[in-house]
Amino acid sequence: ISPDRTTARGVIEELVPQLPPGWQATALSAVLILYKEKNDKYPQANVLARS
């Protein structure tokens, strides 16, 4: 992990692209989920990273 990645979001954005293709990290209002997904159309959520 790069030394300048000091937030959870920064770490996630760096790590998830290193997973096998198809994984996605999505932040909802109260949780973060990491799962295999191709859908990024969640108006209530933010896709943080995708592999």
Side-chain angles (χ1 to χ4, degrees), residues 1-33:
I1 301 205
S2 303
D4 60 330
R5 299 294 185 166
T6 58
T7 65
R9 183 182 188 129
V11 171
I12 290 164
E13 289 173 344
E14 186 169 333
L15 290 179
V16 173
Q18 297 179 48
L19 294 173
W23 285 88
Q24 174 173 305
T26 303
L28 299 166
S29 61
V31 297
L32 170 77
I33 52 177

Side-chain angles (χ1 to χ4, degrees), residues 27-43:
L28 299 166
S29 61
V31 297
L32 170 77
I33 52 177
L34 177 63
Y35 55 101
K36 288 191 94 168
E37 175 69 88
K38 293 181 182 178
N39 185 9
D40 61 356
K41 296 176 183 169
Y42 297 108

